[in-house]
């Protein structure tokens, strides 16, 4: 077995730089929806010690001192660039698992006669030239090791030119490398697990690899035992070429301004339901329950704080926007309290199952679904832009709408926002 | 007279053998209750010979190409065998889909090459820039469209308008070519 993990460096920042070369070598961050937190950092920003997820308002001073350029997230652009990158990488192997917007695994079985590092270098150069995105490549006998090899390529710890093939390292060299890597660099080992592992004296990747598998399984979990086996080069995780349907669909945003009234919250919740229901139908699922939540701004300590969530189960699973909206608004009425400045609301569709397997209702007649209407809504919105056809409940003015003050143009999918060359 | 039940069935008011009643021999069966309207369909199903294909209760539409003429008996159109898809400009203009971007021209530095303010440029990043290609290059962090001149190791970006001086690149100075312009699209209306 052999896998390559290819991943875009500071992907969102790199997308912005393709169309605005002046950003090269400058500190750049991309902010989450509503310009809340840092979700991507250029190398220059990382060097300034800015952490992932830091709230932007806390960084304003640092940003002024170092001239950090901030962008609102431009997801249409990033998705387009991701599709291009994945399509180019797909030429390098018959098996590809797109793991996230900026990384994919490639199956390298049967490439034994190839110089894999050279193969990786070709991928890297082609993606850089064709799409403009710098990527790093990690190659190893298991997915967990490939992830680690990618980390080493990025940090220049092993390999060269952004490609690291663990297969090329000698045993002592490889052991020394694993001994130098902290255990939290392993795929799937989060902060809590790291603390627990440190408690039993496991601090490095090498220590976990050489630990007793059965003890790990007993003290921690079979999942961690599998990770351990993967570190030993025993492949336990295969490629998942078809992304599994999501188990939950979440749609939530912070508001552009504080929202205090129920009608405004209702508009927001209806809008989020519409987005979530569209995704639900796209994966051909139905939801059995809807959760709604609202909260005030936890960072503004002087204001009274309130947050509440409620789950509304449905008698019959559905993907019908109107039924889901009715359930969500019913829930919202029950948790809404006047007198608070709300900063965020969200909805979550839960208990998802394939649309083909909807169970009937035991008591009373089943609900009338409107699949044809939903299809028309989805197609119209795909053709003429999101929100072209919508329920009146979503509102028209959307005074609460999110702030994206620093969004770059839609360089690749709006005729009037194309990059310009003089 | 002695009755013979096997040859002359009696006609009692209640009870006794009814023709067609009982379980068919050889195959297990099960009693179900179903809406009367479905009865003919289920009976038809039961009578289907084993292995036969079932007609779909909801026929799926099959898409076929639309012919541009009426069918006339006797003389089929000689064009029938030549029905093809529409011409697709993307296919004509784009060779490397992943590497192709559209860029809008600004200014008048390239009017000599037929590039006007607002012209739409099809830019292919997959191509290696050659001498005399019209390219999108990065100059001082900005995108610019110029003709690439590579002569005797010297690289210059040439404007196609005498009002603009060529941009020279000396030893050690690096030129970043963003992509190669493969088409100019000029809308007249």
């Amino acid at each position: 077995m052999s896998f390559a993990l290819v991943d875009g460096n500071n992907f969102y920042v790199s997308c912005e730089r393709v169309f605005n070369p002046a950003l090269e070598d400058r500190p750049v961050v991309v902010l989450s929806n509503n310009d809340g937190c840092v979700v991507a950092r250029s190398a220059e920003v990382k060097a300034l010690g800015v952490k992932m997820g830091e709230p932007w308002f806390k960084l304003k001073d640092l940003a002024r001192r170092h001239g950090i350029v901030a962008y609102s997230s431009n997801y249409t652009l990033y998705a387009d660039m991701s599709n291009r990158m994945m399509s180019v990488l797909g030429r390098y192997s018959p098996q590809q698992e797109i793991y996230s917007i900026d990384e994919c695994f490639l199956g390298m079985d049967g490439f034994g006669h190839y110089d894999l590092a050279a193969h990786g270098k070709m991928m890297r150069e082609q993606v850089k030239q064709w799409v403009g995105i710098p990527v790093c490549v990690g190659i190893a006998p298991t997915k967990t090791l490939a992830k680690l090899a990618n980390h080493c390529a990025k940090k220049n710890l092993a390999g060269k030119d952004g490609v690291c093939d663990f297969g090329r390292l000698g045993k002592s060299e490889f052991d020394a490398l694993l001994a130098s890597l902290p255990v939290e660099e392993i795929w799937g080992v989060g902060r809590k697990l790291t603390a627990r592992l440190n408690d039993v004296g496991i601090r490095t990747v090498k220590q976990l690899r050489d630990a007793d598998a059965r003890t790990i399984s007993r003290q921690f979990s079979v999942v961690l035992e599998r990770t351990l086996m993967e570190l030993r080069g025993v492949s336990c995780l295969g490629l998942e070429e078809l992304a599994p349907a999501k188990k939950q669909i979440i749609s939530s945003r912070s508001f552009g301004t504080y929202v205090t009234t129920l009608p405004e919250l209702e508009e927001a919740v209806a809008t989020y339901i519409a987005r979530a229901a569209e995704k639900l139908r796209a994966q051909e699922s139905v939801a059995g329950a809807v959760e709604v939540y609202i909260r005030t701004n936890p960072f503004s300590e002087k204001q009274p704080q309130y947050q509440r969530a409620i789950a509304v189960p449905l008698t019959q699973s559905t993907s019908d926007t109107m039924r889901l909206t009715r359930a969500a608004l019913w829930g919202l009425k029950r948790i809404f309290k006047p007198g608070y400045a709300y900063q965020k609301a969200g909805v979550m569709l839960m208990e998802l199952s394939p649309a083909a397997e909807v169970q009937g209702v035991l008591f009373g007649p089943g609900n009338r679904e409107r699949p044809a209407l939903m299809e028309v809504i989805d197609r119209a919105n795909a053709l003429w832009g999101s929100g072209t056809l919508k329920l009146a409940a979503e509102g028209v003015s959307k005074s609460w709408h999110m702030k994206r003050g620093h969004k770059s143009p839609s360089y690749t999918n709006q005729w009037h926002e194309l990059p310009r060359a003089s | 007279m002695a009755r013979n039940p096997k040859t002359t069935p009696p006609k009692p008011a209640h009870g006794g053998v009814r023709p067609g009643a009982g379980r068919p021999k050889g195959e297990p069966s099960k009693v179900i209750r179903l809406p009367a309207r479905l009865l003919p369909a289920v009976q038809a199903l039961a009578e289907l010979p084993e292995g036969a294909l079932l007609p779909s209760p909801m026929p799926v539409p099959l898409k076929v190409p639309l012919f541009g003429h009426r069918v006339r008996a006797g003389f089929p159109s000689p064009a029938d065998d030549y029905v093809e898809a529409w011409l697709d400009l993307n296919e004509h203009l784009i060779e490397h889909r992943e590497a192709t971007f559209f860029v809008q021209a600004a200014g008048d530095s390239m009017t000599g090459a037929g590039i006007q303010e607002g012209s739409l440029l099809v830019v292919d990043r997959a191509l290696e820039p050659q001498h005399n290609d019209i390219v999108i290059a990065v100059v001082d962090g900005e995108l610019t469209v110029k003709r690439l001149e590579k002569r005797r190791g010297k690289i210059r970006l040439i404007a196609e308008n005498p009002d603009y001086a060529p941009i020279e690149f000396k030893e050690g100075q690096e030129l970043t070519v963003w992509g190669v312009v493969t088409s100019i699209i000029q809308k007249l209306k």
Side-chain angles (χ1 to χ4, degrees):
Chain A
M1 288 288 222
S2 188
F3 300 89
L5 179 80
V6 191
D7 139 330
N9 303 350
N10 324 321
F11 184 70
Y12 298 167
V13 171
S14 297
C15 290
E16 299 289 351
R17 281 178 168 165
V18 169
F19 299 95
N20 188 353
L23 297 173
E24 214 61 59
D25 304 321
R26 292 182 60 186
V28 181
V29 293
V30 174
L31 306 175
S32 61
N33 282 327
N34 249 317
D35 300 348
C37 308
V38 172
V39 291
R41 304 159 295 160
S42 72
E44 297 77 11
V45 172
K46 286 176 190 170
L48 290 173
V50 174
K51 296 271 172 296
M52 198 69 170
E54 239 172 274
W56 172 236
F57 74 87
K58 288 192 175 173
L59 294 172
K60 290 243 162 108
D61 260 358
L62 190 76
R64 210 168 305 126
R65 261 182 288 134
H66 295 275
I68 299 178
V69 186
Y71 278 92
S72 310
S73 25
N74 184 349
Y75 285 113
T76 32
L77 177 68
Y78 309 150
D80 178 76
M81 296 299 276
S82 168
N83 289 338
R84 291 168 186 260
M85 175 174 114
M86 296 305 174
S87 174
V88 170
L89 289 171
R91 298 162 182 238
Y92 284 87
S93 165
Q95 300 150 316
Q96 181 181 32
E97 175 188 339
I98 296 172
Y99 182 68
S100 71
I101 191 165
D102 63 349
E103 57 188 326
C104 73
F105 286 101
L106 297 172
M108 289 285 129
D109 283 349
F111 285 70
H113 58 293
Y114 266 66
D115 176 348
L116 286 180
H119 197 56
K121 193 157 170 262
M122 266 168 64
M123 298 176 195
R124 195 167 182 264
E125 282 165 3
Q126 196 185 351
V127 173
K128 177 72 182 146
Q129 187 189 340
W130 284 39
V131 192
I133 301 287
V135 299
C136 280
V137 185
I139 302 165
T142 69
K143 284 171 89 176
T144 304
L145 283 174
K147 267 274 206 188
L148 210 55
N150 181 280
H151 170 78
C152 293
K154 234 182 232 165
K155 302 269 156 163
N156 253 324
L157 301 172
K160 58 171 183 164
D161 303 329
V163 180
C164 173
D165 177 6
F166 275 172
R168 290 193 144 200
L169 303 180
K171 190 179 175 313
S172 57
E173 197 185 350
F174 185 50
D175 282 359
L177 178 66
L178 294 195
S180 73
L181 294 172
V183 76
E184 65 253 38
E185 295 301 345
I186 300 172
W187 189 28
V189 177
R191 206 153 24 112
K192 277 186 191 156
L193 193 50
T194 302
R196 283 180 60 205
L197 283 165
N198 289 349
D199 283 348
V200 299
I202 297 178
R203 294 178 180 280
T204 70
V205 177
K206 183 171 179 296
Q207 283 172 327
L208 179 62
R209 182 196 68 178
D210 298 341
D212 178 54
R214 246 177 287 167
T215 313
I216 290 292
S217 168
R218 210 175 43 241
Q219 285 188 343
F220 294 90
S221 64
V222 281
V223 179
L224 191 64
E225 185 195 8
R226 206 169 53 187
T227 302
L228 180 153
M229 294 311 289
E230 285 239 316
L231 289 175
R232 291 182 185 172
V234 180
S235 179
C236 308
L237 303 167
L239 285 183
E240 291 169 20
E241 294 186 55
L242 282 180
K246 290 200 188 80
K247 304 273 164 50
Q248 302 169 335
I249 295 176
I250 298 173
S251 175
S252 72
R253 300 281 156 79
S254 311
F255 303 130
T257 54
Y258 287 119
V259 164
T260 52
T261 67
L262 183 60
E264 280 175 304
L265 277 177
E266 284 177 334
E267 276 186 18
V269 165
T271 304
Y272 302 155
I273 284 280
R275 277 297 296 146
E278 198 178 310
K279 285 189 200 161
L280 184 70
R281 293 191 291 270
Q283 68 167 41
E284 294 180 16
S285 296
V286 289
V290 183
E291 187 178 278
V292 187
Y293 77 89
I294 49 178
R295 70 159 167 76
T296 51
N297 182 359
F299 288 111
S300 106
E301 283 150 13
K302 288 184 198 123
Q303 288 179 348
Q305 296 289 321
Y306 175 72
Q307 65 168 14
R308 213 30 226 286
I310 184 173
V312 184
L314 303 167
T315 49
Q316 187 178 15
S317 295
T318 186
S319 63
D320 185 300
T321 304
M322 297 178 206
R323 287 197 57 217
L324 293 168
T325 304
R326 214 172 304 139
L329 295 184
W330 183 89
L332 176 64
K333 266 205 190 91
R334 259 130 212 100
I335 57 174
F336 173 77
K337 273 195 191 169
Y340 292 97
Y342 293 96
Q343 189 236 1
K344 186 170 186 174
V347 299
M348 179 158 70
L349 304 182
M350 303 180 297
E351 291 173 31
L352 307 193
S353 56
E357 297 169 12
V358 177
Q359 207 159 39
V361 191
L362 186 54
F363 305 105
N367 287 289
R368 281 187 38 224
E369 302 285 307
R370 289 156 284 237
L373 176 59
M374 293 304 131
E375 200 191 326
V376 167
I377 293 179
D378 291 346
R379 282 170 56 180
N381 289 340
L383 196 57
W384 292 302
S386 158
T388 303
L389 269 185
K390 62 187 177 192
L391 302 190
E394 291 178 41
V396 180
S397 67
K398 303 201 185 193
S399 48
W400 44 271
H401 216 287
M402 70 168 171
K403 275 189 301 214
R404 281 203 289 185
H406 318 278
K407 193 177 86 64
S408 55
S410 297
Y411 294 113
T412 57
N413 52 24
Q414 291 292 333
W415 289 115
H416 57 274
E417 295 183 27
L418 297 178
R420 288 167 69 82
S422 56
Chain B
M1 207 165 116
R3 279 181 183 170
N4 185 343
K6 275 178 187 159
T7 52
T8 54
K11 295 185 178 87
H14 303 285
V17 181
R18 281 159 295 149
R23 193 183 302 154
K25 292 207 172 59
E27 199 180 344
S29 63
K30 192 165 167 56
V31 178
I32 57 164
R33 183 184 285 271
L34 51 84
R37 70 189 158 80
L38 293 181
L39 194 61
V42 174
Q43 268 171 345
L45 188 64
E47 285 161 11
L48 265 181
E50 204 175 324
L53 277 176
L54 283 179
S56 163
M58 277 160 64
V60 180
L62 177 69
K63 289 184 179 136
V64 293
L66 185 66
F67 287 77
H69 67 92
R70 298 216 181 100
V71 177
R72 277 174 299 170
F75 297 96
S77 159
D80 273 5
D81 291 343
Y82 302 91
V83 175
E84 280 180 21
W86 282 53
L87 291 177
D88 182 353
L89 263 180
N90 285 325
E91 189 192 328
H92 181 61
L93 298 177
I94 297 175
E95 190 188 354
H96 305 105
R97 194 173 46 82
E98 301 95 335
T100 299
F101 295 86
F102 298 129
V103 172
Q104 194 166 38
D108 59 358
S109 70
M110 290 297 283
T111 46
I115 297 175
Q116 318 289 339
E117 163 85 34
S119 292
L120 182 66
L121 308 174
V122 180
V123 180
D124 191 340
R125 293 178 54 105
L127 301 176
E128 280 304 326
Q130 309 289 336
H131 170 62
N132 250 345
D133 278 352
I134 292 179
V135 299
I136 303 290
V138 179
V139 176
D140 298 331
E142 305 268 333
L143 298 180
T144 182
V145 53
K146 295 288 176 288
R147 190 178 292 282
L148 178 70
E149 191 186 80
K150 286 183 175 176
R151 243 193 269 171
R152 287 177 231 105
K154 269 181 83 180
I155 293 178
R156 296 201 304 169
L157 291 175
I158 313 280
E160 294 277 344
N161 179 338
D163 296 346
Y164 293 80
I167 304 168
E168 314 247 354
F169 289 83
K170 300 192 184 71
E171 283 277 322
Q173 251 186 328
E174 205 184 334
L175 164 67
T176 307
V177 173
W178 196 88
V180 175
V181 178
T182 55
S183 301
I184 304 161
I185 298 171
Q186 191 66 60
K187 275 191 167 187
L188 299 179
K189 283 189 175 176

